[in-house]
Amino acid sequence: MAATTENLPQLKSAVDGLTDMSENEKSGFISLVSRYLSGEAQHIEWSKIQTPTDETVVPYEKMVPVSEDVSETKNLLDKLVVLKLNGGLGTTMGCTGPKSVIEVRDGLTFLDLIVIQIENLNNKYGCKVPLVLMNSFNTHDDTQKIVEKYTNSNVDIHTFNQSKYPRVVADEFVPWPSKGKTDKEGWYPPGHGDVFPALMNSGKLDTFLSQGKEYVFVANSDNLGAIVDLTILKHLIQNKNEYCMEVTPKTLADVKGGTLISYEGKVQLLEIAQVPDEHVNEFKSIEKFKIFNTNNLWVNLKAIKKLVEAEALKMEIIPNPKEVDGVKVLQLETAAGAAIRFFDNAIGVNVPRSRFLPVKASSDLLLVQSDLYTLVDGFVTRNKARTNPSNPSIELGPEFKKVANFLGRFKSIPSIVELDSLKVSGDVWFGSSVVLKGKVTVTAKSGEKLEIPDGAVVENKNINGPEDL
């Protein structure tokens, strides 16, 4: 049976009995569920969708860069807070702790790189840009321990937790913890749309406002391209934009990413889940919808406070049904990008692809650990020797999925500056100083181990056994 608003009183009384939730979490959760049950989903009228103009989605190259004047830069940075979404675990990559502590390059983790970047800004300009980590109950304890190692760095690090909501048992529509599932599996973090109320409820928002901070730059902790950009910050302050989403040109690999549209006079995010079936292919094409959301967001702190207090941030609800321990459960989530339509004078900015470098899988790790990139001041920069503007496409088989296995199968990361594509399947091992160029496919026969020898140069080849090397 489908749940209706009649299930709400029963759910509410069960939630009232849960001691693990704060009052803010209880009211936030009940409000989310009641919106979901009332079916207030916003239906997009396809014919009303318009392509945003350059005023709404500003081309990055049209923004005025910051002058060389150090005091101008310091004034901008004094208004900024950097917030990284740090709620995710590295489970897809075979790690148990927070994803942000996976080593990315030269023995440094995502978090190390973020701290180095901000420390360099603070040292160079004599400012105090704070770093804030939004953890989930899954990553909180581990992150607290890890953050201790930065005690002597020139960065103030703050942490707060996003909300902890109970998973709902689908067929009875009751919170799972009230049915005895009290361990971590009974709960879930409700998506990064929760960043705004959680920041406010933690008291951090008021702290930053009292310090004269004006904007927060929010980004995923696994996006290595998401460094502080002064040109964007200056533009927002000058134009009084309350919200800015960084978008970048779509490639065929990004067809599922949300895009910005103009709709009834406002800019808003359109996600694939909102698209009627008959328009899905149109949505995925890169002709009509040329850009997608990087989830690098710049938001005015006073505007966040005003909207959270007014309970005005009613982002589209993303129902996420799961089966855990054989029980069908429902978790309702929201996304931070969807909040764009509630802010005044909101814009997108069409940024270079270099600002979107997420590490979601070991194939991404191969890119950033290779000679395709160099590390400068904590920032991963593209190697100028690469002439092709797009990155090689890399497909590694399941043997490479976990980070430990991935690292074990490469004696050293191959040179890929001249690689177009790489596809690896089966029990394949790479020696040291291997060079890959053009289109390369390596397929080990079932039950056989295939080793690419040290120093091999492989160009435009299909390798199915030692005889092909």
Side-chain angles (χ1 to χ4, degrees):
M1 67 153 218
T4 64
T5 43
E6 289 168 15
N7 298 78
L8 205 57
Q10 170 198 343
L11 184 80
K12 197 169 180 304
S13 67
V15 167
D16 282 340
L18 294 174
T19 50
D20 279 21
M21 297 174 79
S22 68
E23 289 309 310
N24 281 329
E25 285 172 325
K26 286 178 182 177
S27 61
F29 175 68
I30 290 298
S31 147
L32 192 62
V33 174
S34 54
R35 281 177 53 214
Y36 171 71
L37 291 178
S38 66
E40 63 150 70
Q42 191 213 5
H43 295 290
I44 298 272
E45 279 188 52
W46 201 254
S47 58
K48 288 187 180 176
I49 291 178
Q50 291 178 309
T51 305
T53 62
D54 281 4
E55 278 70 57
T56 318
V57 177
V58 184
Y60 182 79
E61 55 280 4
K62 285 195 177 170
M63 290 184 160
V64 182
V66 175
S67 71
E68 296 294 306
D69 178 8
V70 173
S71 64
E72 183 193 8
T73 303
K74 182 183 183 311
N75 284 340
L76 289 172
L77 288 169
D78 282 341
K79 297 180 170 146
L80 183 67
V81 174
V82 174
L83 189 156
K84 297 287 177 169
L85 302 169
N86 192 50
L89 292 166
T91 40
T92 35
M93 296 174 75
C95 301
T96 50
K99 187 171 178 188
S100 57
V101 299
I102 292 175
E103 286 188 9
V104 184
R105 177 111 198 178
D106 305 357
L108 299 168
T109 65
F110 289 106
L111 211 48
D112 292 337
L113 295 175
I114 291 164
V115 172
I116 293 167
Q117 290 162 14
I118 297 179
E119 187 164 38
N120 284 330
L121 284 176
N122 288 344
N123 291 341
K124 187 172 176 184
Y125 297 104
C127 52
K128 282 292 245 198
V129 176
L131 170 63
V132 194
L133 301 172
M134 179 168 88
N135 298 320
S136 64
F137 61 86
N138 288 316
T139 59
H140 172 77
D141 294 348
D142 287 337
T143 303
Q144 293 306 97
K145 289 192 201 92
I146 293 154
V147 165
E148 284 172 16
K149 78 172 186 180
Y150 306 117
T151 317
N152 298 322
S153 70
N154 184 19
V155 182
D156 287 334
I157 301 181
H158 302 254
T159 60
F160 70 98
N161 272 17
Q162 70 182 109
S163 308
K164 176 176 162 180
Y165 285 176
R167 284 176 162 155
V168 174
V169 180
D171 57 355
E172 303 171 58
F173 219 76
V174 290
W176 208 9
S178 59
K179 298 212 54 160
K181 188 69 171 170
T182 50
D183 63 0
K184 276 188 175 173
E185 293 288 331
W187 303 85
Y188 76 99
H192 47 62
D194 185 50
V195 62
F196 306 118
L199 182 62
M200 171 118 162
N201 293 338
S202 69
K204 299 285 179 194
L205 184 63
D206 286 333
T207 303
F208 297 135
L209 284 170
S210 70
Q211 294 169 353
K213 307 293 183 197
E214 292 178 22
Y215 279 86
V216 60
F217 172 45
V218 179
N220 296 358
S221 63
D222 67 1
N223 179 5
L224 295 172
I227 59 165
V228 170
D229 188 289
L230 295 160
T231 303
I232 296 176
L233 181 59
K234 176 181 177 176
H235 183 96
L236 301 180
I237 291 170
Q238 282 185 335
N239 293 280
K240 299 192 166 53
N241 301 110
E242 287 188 351
Y243 188 111
C244 168
M245 174 187 290
E246 293 184 37
V247 292
T248 198
K250 231 197 242 194
T251 66
L252 291 170
D254 314 303
V255 292
K256 290 185 177 162
T259 191
L260 283 183
I261 56 171
S262 288
Y263 192 79
E264 297 184 332
K266 296 202 89 159
V267 61
Q268 69 180 61
L269 183 66
L270 176 66
E271 297 273 15
I272 193 161
Q274 297 165 278
V275 177
D277 291 345
E278 65 270 24
H279 294 292
V280 166
N281 285 342
E282 194 181 342
F283 176 81
K284 285 181 172 180
S285 86
I286 52 182
E287 277 74 52
K288 179 167 181 177
F289 299 103
K290 295 184 170 68
I291 51 175
F292 75 98
N293 169 22
T294 62
N295 218 36
N296 298 349
L297 311 170
W298 302 75
V299 196
N300 180 283
L301 291 168
K302 280 187 180 149
I304 294 174
K305 185 175 164 86
K306 184 181 82 187
L307 289 167
V308 172
E309 283 178 340
E311 294 184 18
L313 292 175
K314 294 185 172 11
M315 280 92 89
E316 286 75 18
I317 296 171
I318 306 157
N320 187 352
K322 293 194 174 223
E323 190 165 311
V324 184
D325 298 345
V327 179
K328 288 193 167 67
V329 294
L330 178 65
Q331 46 192 59
L332 303 176
E333 301 170 14
T334 60
I340 189 165
R341 62 193 179 95
F342 301 106
F343 288 84
D344 286 338
N345 209 359
I347 58 167
V349 54
N350 195 346
V351 297
R353 183 78 189 199
S354 58
R355 292 191 56 75
F356 184 66
L357 186 60
V359 177
K360 300 287 181 201
S362 54
S363 52
D364 300 322
L365 213 47
L366 176 59
L367 290 174
V368 299
Q369 292 188 348
S370 74
D371 56 353
L372 202 56
Y373 288 94
T374 48
L375 193 59
V376 184
D377 294 343
F379 178 46
V380 180
T381 320
R382 218 25 208 233
N383 184 344
K384 299 258 189 305
R386 168 89 175 171
T387 47
N388 183 340
S390 57
N391 278 346
S393 88
I394 295 181
E395 282 181 60
L396 301 175
E399 295 80 0
F400 291 82
K401 187 176 180 187
K402 294 185 171 178
V403 176
N405 298 353
F406 164 83
L407 294 171
R409 286 175 177 273
F410 290 99
K411 264 198 212 167
S412 69
I413 299 291
S415 163
I416 60 171
V417 174
E418 294 177 52
L419 179 71
D420 296 322
S421 64
L422 171 67
K423 190 168 182 179
V424 180
S425 40
D427 187 12
V428 178
W429 299 76
F430 289 82
S432 56
S433 310
V434 171
V435 179
L436 303 174
K437 300 180 178 187
K439 293 190 160 117
V440 177
T441 309
V442 187
T443 313
K445 296 188 181 83
S446 180
E448 286 182 25
K449 178 176 180 179
L450 178 54
E451 295 186 49
I452 308 291
D454 295 356
V457 177
V458 184
E459 183 167 6
N460 289 322
K461 271 191 179 169
N462 288 337
I463 296 171
N464 298 302
E467 66 281 358
D468 297 328
L469 281 156

